[in-house]
Structures are given as structure tokens and as C-alpha cells.
Amino acid sequence: MKRDHLIIASIIISFIFLVVFNLGGHGKSASANERVPYLIGKWKGVCSLSVNTNGFVPIKASLVLHVFEQMDRDFIGYIEGWTDGIPYRMELSGAVDTRDRNIFAIDKSGMIYSGYFVTSYRMILYGFENKAEPRIIQYKLKKISDL
């Protein structure tokens, strides 16, 4: 019973973090006159930060975001990589917000991703895992190729 309350609390905290962070305008466009960021291509990065219900935790993880279709602000693709030595690959879909600053996505397993653009070729992306031990993982991604 107590475990259920911790899981619910962590989900609520994750949601609040997601909303507050993205409403705070932390992301910024690469330039004032840039249009919707061009996402099609391959974005690669590693984990720079991880936190769970007990605080900051060490983690070894990498992530590659492949975007193969973009329709205005919406996009589809897949994410692959490894976390704690376990490889994964999952289809996802998402969108860029109307201010062209923030990116949001969800994969087929239900993992939520939210982040912001640092430049047109760099982004910070947060993954919100809701497994046995919920955690948030921060990735610093760089666009390494266009398709």
C-alpha cells in the first residue's frame, strides 16, 4: 500500500515538474526569426543527470532519437539506446510547442519525453520512466545527421 502511494506521488511530482519546467520558458529558439525546428534526422546523446524518489542516482545511459517524418510541429520516429546495460528501441510520436522552444513525445511503452532546444542542433531531453522505481533521466542531444 505504501509503495502505491510512493508511485502515485512520484507520478504527480513528475507531472508537476513537466508542466512547471515547460511553462517557465526555459527553452529558447536558436534565433528570433527561426521557424519550427527541423527535426528530421538523427540526434545522439548521453545521460547527464538522473533522479528517482530517493534523489540523484548514478546511471549509465545513451539515447539516439531518429525522426523520420515531420508534419509541421508533429513528428514520428523511434528512440534507441541503452540504460543500465539494457538495450531498447521504441517507436514514438511527438510535437514542438507553438513557441518553437519545447519538444514533447511519448513512446509506445508510455514513457514521456519533454525538453527544450538549446540551438537548432542541440536539445535537452528528459525521459520520465514509470517503472518499479520511477525516475527522470536528462539527456543532452546533438543532431549528428539529416536524413
Side-chain angles (χ1 to χ4, degrees), residues 39-147:
L39 298 173
I40 294 178
K42 188 175 185 181
W43 300 73
K44 186 175 184 179
V46 295
C47 172
S48 60
L49 181 65
S50 174
V51 64
N52 67 14
T53 55
N54 297 318
F56 294 101
V57 293
I59 183 176
K60 291 186 178 183
S62 70
L63 179 133
V64 179
L65 168 63
H66 299 267
V67 177
F68 53 81
E69 189 174 336
Q70 182 173 355
M71 297 81 45
D72 192 31
R73 297 184 185 290
D74 299 330
F75 66 91
I76 56 174
Y78 64 94
I79 279 190
E80 65 181 348
W82 55 268
T83 305
D84 298 328
I86 301 168
Y88 62 89
R89 179 183 162 137
M90 190 66 59
E91 294 177 12
L92 83 155
S93 59
V96 174
D97 75 337
T98 57
R99 298 179 302 162
D100 302 329
R101 296 179 179 182
N102 301 301
I103 182 170
F104 305 92
I106 188 165
D107 70 22
K108 297 291 183 180
S109 73
M111 186 159 161
I112 297 170
Y113 298 90
S114 175
Y116 61 93
F117 296 96
V118 177
T119 68
S120 57
Y121 288 90
R122 293 190 182 276
M123 77 169 84
I124 303 294
L125 193 63
Y126 296 88
F128 298 87
E129 288 186 347
N130 189 21
K131 297 182 178 178
E133 183 64 43
R135 65 182 168 188
I136 301 170
I137 304 170
Q138 179 191 55
Y139 297 95
K140 292 182 179 179
L141 300 175
K142 179 180 179 183
K143 191 171 191 182
I144 59 172
S145 69
D146 289 327
L147 293 180

